[in-house]
Amino acid sequence: MKRFRRHGQESQRDRLKQDLYQFNKTVEHGFPHQPSALGYSPSLQLLAIGTRSGAIKLYGAPGVEFMGLHDENAVVTRVHFLPFQLELVTLLDDNSLHMWTLRAHKGVSELLEIGRFTLTGPPGAPPSVTRVTSVLAHSSGELLLLGTEGGHVFVVEVPGFRELEERNISLDQVANSVPEDYIGRRNLEHVETLQENPVDPNQVVIGYGRGLMVVWDLEKHQAVQHIPATQQLESTWWTEDGGHILSSHSDGSYCRWTVGGQSSKDEEEKSDIPYGHFPCKAISKIVQLATEEGPPFLLFSGGMPRASYGDRHCISVIHGKTHVALDFTSRIIDYFVIRDGPLHTGDPGALVVLVEEELVVIDLQTEGWPVIQTPYLVPLHSSAITCSHHVSAIPLKLWERLLAAGQLQITHYSPKPWPITGGQNLGQDPPQRDLLLTGHEDGTVRFWDASGVCLYPMYKLSTAGVFHTDADPNDNMNQSSEGEWPPFRKVGCFDPYSDDPRLGVQKIHLCKYSGYLTVAGTAGQILVLELNDEAAEQTVEAKIVDLLQGQEGFRWKGHTRLDVREEPVLFPPGFQPFALVQCQPPAVVTALTLHSEWKMVAFGTSHGFGLYDYQQKNSVLVKCTLNPSDQLAMEGPLSRVKSIKKSLRQSFRRIRRSRVSLRKHHVTNSAKLQEANARLEAELAEMELAPVQRKIEARSSEDSFTGLVRTLYFADTFLSDSSHNSASLWAGTNGGSVFAYMIRMPSVEHRADEPITAHPAKEIQLMHRAPVVAIVVLDGHGSPLPEPLEVAHDLARSPDMQASHQLLVISEEQFKIFTLPKVSAKLKLKLTALDGSRVRRVGVAWFGSSRTADAGESGLVVLTNQGDLNVVSLPSVKMQVQHPCIRREDVSGIASCVFTKHGQGFYLISPSEFERFSLSARNVVEPRSLVEVPAHATATAASKRRAAPDGASADNGNARRDDADTESTARSVMEHALLNDEQVLQEIQKSLEGEPTLS
């Protein structure tokens, strides 16, 4: 009977876990890392980006997002949507083609890979014959033309990937039709470009690397015109009236050729070098678009004078007498133009440019061609991210004030709406308003709307204005001098360069109820700011706090503190600083917390911690935690980098000296050589910077940085006896010490003039001296204490002050509960030590039931150095669930993780992208979208198919009519893929069986 009861209790607990916990990686925020290809579907109004890691990402209207990942770890080099269809084709640098589709399932579209294909040449042919260099998705939606390195053009039927051998265009066919007097006819080189005639789908232009362009008739299977350019070809563009072809070349020139007649050999090659007469870089892509009234738009990338501006990344836009060279801060990947109008047949409306570090959209209809703000794909890393802070459930008033301050910062953006509007966002409106704050290397804090699928920029705070820096306040990115040639104009917001690394933001804490914000930086500076709706001019005075407390024998070897401006500074509407604390020595601030109800800020560094009253602007408490033997704490992070570089240089010098001596003395003895190599490997291994995994063991008090403050915590609890609660500050250090201070607060009416005092009350030393990661006080019900002002705003119940409180100390190795006020151990949970697990991040979260609205429980969300996520129950301290989340090798991703109050989290998967995950069954933010082919696009597609080459429509028509053929085609594609995998395995086996290669 007991067994059945226990089994019933376990199954009930399992069901409860399913109601509360469910792990999902939901969406990626930010800009794709290392983009490599760009595609756009005018009919679907979807944007596609391929990356160097094999990812493919689709974006439409805000909230419409899809992501796919190729099985191959290869670079995506091309992305092409099939016209008027839900399919797209990707080409990887391993020469494989992949077919993807947006398939609807339960009313929501999913991005699925449905086929893969690799061109196979004749037996014995070199790989260059089938190495794809150019792709054309024919307007019929049924053909794919593949130009290759060998100069051939292969015609493939899609979506089944069936090669139409009888329609292929061989290099010999083209070469035999080339006039005898063309100097490059013996070697046309690779197919550089393929373009379809906009008014005649039977004609395509094949551009060869040497410069020759051939207009080929797909129906008649013959060349109808030769365009014998003499310069190396980069790109071609067929004008929309079909009357001209533009070609751009490697010498920075472009030419315009008339289409018509049998040959263009009599036509003189008229080249235009926009930025000549000195040698120029290649024009990699050229586009010309007609307008309903007035001159056309001419756009081209590159072409800059090589000597003077060869390092610039530019797209030139010429319209009538207006000529601008858009100057980007990173390399251009690709670009396209979106036309205005419901059918995208109007004037050019927006230029969309993908560069290596951001997506920039230019409004071509508004005077001055301003930038359109992006609702997604914002470069989070416009300055490197140094820390993050998440705040849930923002009150409406604070939200509106932040939005108003942010709107004043974006007046230079175009008023035009976002032009990419494909798909329907089916996601529900977010249940609450959430903020993600990111601190950056340049001293800025950026506020992001993290409520939904899109991480939308709301407001940017800069702390640099408080200090003297090398930046010129009048420096404007968009300024260009009158009469400058080329006519450069800086665009984009990616700016990775920091004027002073000491400005870097290390810790952030925002109180959503009071509007107070505190920001701490790399040089020991702590700013306290208040939200103000009006601009204000004020002086910020620094309060110097000596954390060493006059200890002798210590000399700070790190960076100096920042110089504070003595004159008044005009601060714009938004967060404005009114208090500044400067730690001495000016070390990195490692811990920070704010109590807006008590109007106090606590801060810690590697030397100690302090308490500051920002209402009276007085220092309340200073405690030095520095261990006398800890010399590393007297070196700043910048000096440590220098010492690491120095040791690396010394080691490589030893390596070079040993190699020189080996050569000099002609040492041929293999045993000696192996011994030398082993010694060098040991030296390099000693310099490994990765964290060492070790079992739980007592740590020496002489370990480096034992005095470093890891966590600070305010609590209203019982310290002296069980009947009198008081304000308190708790601090945990890297050496396993916990300090508790009792704070005496004056009455409310005397708060402004009576000083606050703090007295030491408790001190705990953990047995194993493991670093203290977090401290939490639990009330009489075992619930974590509410946030400051949370109860006053009726958003949390008052803590139970009748029963005894408990102290939860979380170290890297265990969770331990002590009773208060006696501080006697009660419970503990040890993390397994054999696999090297260490606690890296901790957060308190509320897990609501997915079935019952009011049901739920609090828990600890824990991230370990293995990249595992755990949920630990409170107050029983029992492990509930465990899920692998981040690769253990991804140290920066683990360090960047931040948790929300409702069981979600964010971590950096690259310098420019956050991965969002959820452990909650109730609170999940993920894209839910539906993409369908518009009715007008379907009609256009039908007319294009009728105008397509007969063979294509007939072949594809038969394939569409016969479902069995379609299934067999799909099966053959999969068999082909499996065969390729088998061949790869055989090659690997052969290489393993062969002789080892010496490097």
Side-chain angles (χ1 to χ4, degrees), residues 180-495:
E180 291 286 341
D181 56 350
Y182 181 64
I183 56 172
R185 72 187 300 269
R186 292 181 180 276
N187 182 15
L188 299 178
E189 293 190 358
H190 62 280
V191 177
E192 182 67 49
T193 176
L194 289 165
Q195 284 268 321
E196 182 181 338
N197 187 337
V199 297
D200 184 358
N202 286 315
Q203 287 189 354
V204 295
V205 61
I206 307 169
Y208 292 91
R210 182 61 67 88
L212 176 72
M213 288 162 279
V214 177
V215 178
W216 189 267
D217 191 302
L218 295 173
E219 189 175 13
K220 298 176 182 176
H221 207 62
Q222 66 180 26
V224 296
Q225 185 175 348
H226 298 88
I227 303 174
T230 56
Q231 288 294 333
Q232 190 81 18
L233 185 67
E234 293 290 326
S235 76
T236 58
W237 180 262
W238 209 320
T239 59
E240 290 156 309
D241 60 2
H244 296 86
I245 289 174
L246 273 67
S247 61
S248 68
H249 302 275
S250 60
D251 63 344
S253 67
Y254 71 90
C255 305
R256 180 186 303 273
W257 309 89
T258 303
V259 178
Q262 291 300 309
S263 177
S264 295
K265 69 177 184 178
D266 298 330
E267 183 180 355
E268 186 179 347
E269 185 175 354
K270 298 174 184 176
S271 65
D272 187 352
I273 305 178
Y275 300 114
H277 305 282
F278 296 103
C280 294
K281 297 198 75 174
I283 293 179
S284 56
K285 181 174 179 178
I286 190 165
V287 172
Q288 180 178 298
L289 296 169
T291 57
E292 292 181 1
E293 298 178 4
F297 275 86
L298 180 67
L299 305 94
F300 57 87
S301 53
M304 287 291 137
R306 189 177 294 276
S308 307
Y309 304 109
D311 59 341
R312 300 285 186 105
H313 312 288
C314 294
I315 291 178
S316 298
V317 184
I318 303 171
H319 180 235
K321 294 182 179 180
T322 307
H323 184 155
V324 172
L326 301 171
D327 189 6
F328 299 88
T329 55
S330 56
R331 186 173 62 89
I332 296 166
I333 305 297
D334 202 353
Y335 64 93
F336 61 85
V337 176
I338 299 176
R339 285 188 172 277
D340 281 344
L343 300 179
H344 297 279
T345 55
D347 284 347
L351 167 64
V352 181
V353 185
L354 176 67
V355 295
E356 210 162 33
E357 304 293 351
E358 61 185 319
L359 183 81
V360 182
V361 181
I362 309 290
D363 178 3
L364 296 177
Q365 290 296 304
T366 304
E367 187 177 357
W369 297 341
V371 173
I372 301 174
Q373 188 175 23
T374 55
Y376 46 72
L377 290 171
V378 183
L380 306 175
H381 64 316
S382 52
S383 173
I385 294 176
T386 48
C387 67
S388 304
H389 176 64
H390 188 274
V391 188
S392 300
I394 303 293
L396 179 60
K397 187 175 181 181
L398 175 63
W399 189 265
E400 290 174 341
R401 294 175 71 191
L402 276 174
L403 277 175
Q407 286 298 315
L408 296 174
Q409 298 178 334
I410 59 171
T411 53
H412 60 286
Y413 282 112
S414 166
K416 189 174 181 178
W418 183 242
I420 301 169
T421 57
Q424 304 171 52
N425 180 12
L426 304 179
Q428 296 179 346
D429 290 336
Q432 60 188 27
R433 294 170 292 273
D434 290 352
L435 272 180
L436 179 68
L437 284 69
T438 54
H440 296 264
E441 194 178 48
D442 62 355
T444 58
V445 177
R446 291 162 204 257
F447 291 66
W448 307 88
D449 178 356
S451 314
V453 171
C454 294
L455 197 64
Y456 187 77
M458 289 180 65
Y459 165 73
K460 182 173 83 170
L461 162 70
S462 177
T463 63
V466 180
F467 307 99
H468 285 288
T469 62
D470 297 331
D472 181 5
N474 298 317
D475 184 24
N476 185 351
M477 244 184 123
N478 293 328
Q479 283 182 347
S480 58
S481 56
E482 193 72 28
E484 182 186 15
W485 188 259
F488 291 118
R489 185 185 127 204
K490 283 280 186 185
V491 286
C493 59
F494 176 72
D495 183 15

Side-chain angles (χ1 to χ4, degrees), residues 685-697:
E686 285 178 4
M687 301 187 314
E688 278 292 331
L689 304 180
V692 179
Q693 312 293 346
R694 59 186 184 279
K695 296 180 182 180
I696 289 183
E697 56 186 17

Side-chain angles (χ1 to χ4, degrees), residues 754-769:
E754 280 191 20
I756 297 174
T757 57
H759 309 284
K762 306 285 181 185
E763 184 173 340
I764 306 169
Q765 179 62 58
L766 298 183
M767 189 182 301
H768 293 295
R769 299 184 182 275

Side-chain angles (χ1 to χ4, degrees), residues 522-593:
T522 303
Q525 72 272 26
I526 299 104
L527 281 166
V528 187
L529 308 98
E530 187 174 15
L531 190 58
N532 192 345
D533 299 330
E534 303 292 334
E537 190 173 29
Q538 58 197 39
T539 304
V540 183
E541 294 181 7
K543 174 69 176 178
I544 308 295
V545 175
D546 181 14
L547 290 174
L548 293 180
Q549 292 288 282
Q551 291 198 33
E552 296 181 357
F554 291 100
R555 186 170 64 85
W556 172 248
K557 302 175 186 176
H559 48 257
T560 59
R561 66 186 180 93
L562 286 160
D563 294 326
V564 182
R565 292 185 185 273
E566 297 178 358
E567 69 278 7
V569 179
L570 179 64
F571 296 104
F575 280 101
Q576 298 170 352
F578 66 90
L580 170 62
V581 180
Q582 178 61 59
C583 298
Q584 283 293 101
V588 173
V589 177
T590 57
L592 181 73
T593 188

